[in-house]
Amino acid sequence: PEEDWGELAPSQPTRSTYGVRQATMPMRSVVRFEDIMRILESGIAGGVVPTGTNPYTWTYTADNAADTLTPKTIEDVDNQLSYAMVGAFAQRIRLSFDALAPASASPWQLEVTWIGRDKRILGTASTAVGPVSAETAMGHLTRMFYGEIGTAFASLAEVATALLAFDITIETGVVLRKQGGTTDRADSHGRAKLAVTFTALVEQIAGTKATLWDGFEGDAVNPVIPGKRMRIQARGGVLSGTNEIQTLTMPGGPTGGTFTLTFNAVTTPAIPYNATAADVQRILQQLSTIGSGNVVCAGGPLPGTPITVTFRGALGYADVALMTASSAGLTGGTTPTLTPTTTTPGVAGVYKTLPIDGRVEVDVIPLQEGAGSSRYSIQGRYVKDATLASTIQIAVVNAIAT
């Protein structure tokens, strides 16, 4: 934390010799969607009203005209001391997404700069409880949608490209007022104009810059940037749902040979009749229709002990197709057959999602263009959307994943 006591400010009637006494405290952490909503309360007016239970919607629409904020108490701990800031406001909020983040880390990160009257040193002990896990550490899926200004956000088309990175910065414009007068309050604050900017890195597999980003930018014919509506949607933790489990059994007592498995029209190489769970898991994850980390196998080895295949990750919380098998390569025994059955049907998951909606004006900068794929850097800002009557709207939604 850094603290400015305002000692160089000139004296004013009915005030002490201090000007604006303030402290700033940066915070960087993993993302939990509800935390974002609570932070918005202390930097952007607009109100947070959760509606419904399951699914439920918790929407925060920025009110550009209002100045009603909720101060927070922030506690921070380093390797030596514990600090607290009482009556703090969020001055700068930054959300960053990185699709290439390690599997063990959250692809989303949160940074907040808090501003308050002062900080307190609490000592070496702390009662602060930090995030236990990241909201989007597992099963995350972040997507970009855009369309015309008159299109409802829920009806925007998904961008036919991969979103590799996204970084949004909200400058709330919160400032502290001078203190020392008889009418001043400890939480006295003001606010300048709200400013929301973003950058994104996208990879386009097919098409051209013109076909993908037409209408986003001004050009020689239409120099005025028309703008678009855009939604960035992050999928968070699962609230309910069931991973499908399929079981592989091999009656008939084979003594040799091989078998194959097929999932969504893609077939494995030959698998030994006495394969272990690890063997089957490794081979299944090599299929383009399954992929690394999307199945876990247990039990075995065949043929005496069945092997269970649990679908998870990108294939989790869904009713997936039943694998089929070819037993023609098995030998010995009495008519040996490898039989897949569904022992636990998958149930669609109810996920937490974080949609960020707004009207944007952007510049699209080609970084790499080629016949196979192209990469573009998008730099832009959020502007007031007439229907929202707001610059930006952020929500937490529990809904069936799509």
Side-chain angles (χ1 to χ4, degrees):
E2 296 181 359
E3 192 165 19
D4 180 4
W5 287 71
E7 293 175 336
L8 299 180
S11 301
Q12 295 186 21
T14 74
R15 297 181 184 273
S16 69
T17 58
Y18 294 105
V20 180
R21 177 184 174 190
Q22 67 181 43
T24 57
M25 182 182 289
M27 180 184 79
R28 180 179 177 88
S29 71
V30 297
V31 170
R32 292 185 300 181
F33 291 167
E34 283 81 1
D35 290 347
I36 295 173
M37 307 305 279
R38 296 184 180 100
I39 290 169
L40 291 175
E41 291 180 312
S42 61
I44 302 175
V48 178
V49 181
T51 58
T53 53
N54 194 12
Y56 79 83
T57 301
W58 191 357
T59 303
Y60 205 112
T61 305
D63 187 337
N64 295 359
D67 193 33
T68 303
L69 304 178
T70 304
K72 304 291 185 180
T73 297
I74 308 300
E75 188 171 337
D76 184 35
V77 181
D78 60 22
N79 60 353
Q80 293 180 332
L81 293 173
S82 172
Y83 304 90
M85 180 184 289
V86 180
F89 298 95
Q91 194 173 50
R92 184 174 185 267
I93 304 168
R94 180 186 176 193
L95 280 165
S96 303
F97 166 75
D98 181 4
L100 302 180
S104 59
S106 169
W108 280 90
Q109 293 289 325
L110 170 67
E111 295 181 36
V112 183
T113 299
W114 296 94
I115 184 171
R117 288 295 173 193
D118 56 15
K119 66 178 186 294
R120 300 174 182 175
I121 299 178
L122 302 181
T124 56
S126 172
T127 58
V129 179
V132 176
S133 61
E135 182 73 59
T136 52
M138 296 181 62
H140 80 276
L141 178 63
T142 298
R143 303 153 72 184
M144 174 186 283
F145 303 80
Y146 79 94
E148 300 302 323
I149 295 171
T151 305
F153 286 102
S155 300
L156 295 177
E158 184 171 5
V159 176
T161 187
L163 181 62
L164 302 181
F166 182 78
D167 191 306
I168 182 171
T169 299
I170 303 173
E171 300 285 355
T172 65
V174 174
V175 293
L176 298 182
R177 295 194 178 115
K178 295 179 180 180
Q179 64 175 357
T182 57
T183 60
D184 288 336
R185 307 190 315 274
D187 64 348
S188 181
H189 68 276
R191 204 187 73 181
K193 183 178 180 180
L194 179 71
V196 185
T197 57
F198 76 94
T199 59
L201 176 64
V202 299
E203 182 175 41
Q204 183 180 349
I205 305 304
T208 65
K209 173 174 175 287
T211 57
L212 181 61
W213 306 109
D214 180 42
F216 252 124
E217 301 179 283
D219 53 31
V221 178
N222 300 295
V224 178
I225 299 176
K228 292 280 188 177
R229 275 188 160 184
M230 184 175 74
R231 165 173 285 186
I232 300 295
Q233 180 173 287
R235 180 188 293 181
V238 66
L239 301 173
S240 64
T242 304
N243 287 329
E244 179 152 324
I245 300 175
Q246 298 181 15
T247 301
L248 307 178
T249 56
M250 189 180 286
T255 57
T258 61
F259 64 93
T260 61
L261 292 168
T262 299
F263 182 76
N264 283 344
V266 180
T267 302
T268 66
I271 303 173
Y273 81 101
N274 59 348
T276 65
D279 294 332
V280 175
Q281 177 175 310
R282 173 178 51 81
I283 294 171
L284 286 177
Q285 290 188 355
Q286 292 173 355
L287 296 183
S288 60
T289 50
I290 292 182
S292 177
N294 294 324
V295 292
V296 173
C297 297
L302 296 170
T305 305
I307 290 178
T308 60
V309 181
T310 302
F311 292 83
R312 65 174 193 173
L315 298 176
Y317 305 107
D319 182 9
V320 301
L322 177 63
M323 292 183 290
T324 58
S326 171
S327 306
L330 295 175
T331 61
T334 305
T335 316
T337 304
L338 189 283
T339 304
T341 56
T342 299
T343 46
T344 302
V347 177
V350 175
Y351 290 88
K352 234 182 277 186
T353 60
L354 184 81
I356 303 173
D357 296 337
R359 176 178 171 177
V360 296
E361 295 176 350
V362 307
D363 289 320
V364 181
I365 303 171
L367 300 179
Q368 171 190 326
E369 292 188 304
S373 65
S374 303
R375 287 192 176 189
Y376 301 98
S377 172
I378 307 173
Q379 302 174 3
R381 66 190 182 108
Y382 285 79
V383 297
K384 186 174 181 179
D385 183 279
T387 303
L388 287 180
S390 173
T391 301
I392 190 170
Q393 176 174 280
I394 301 177
V396 175
V397 181
N398 291 358
I400 299 297
T402 58

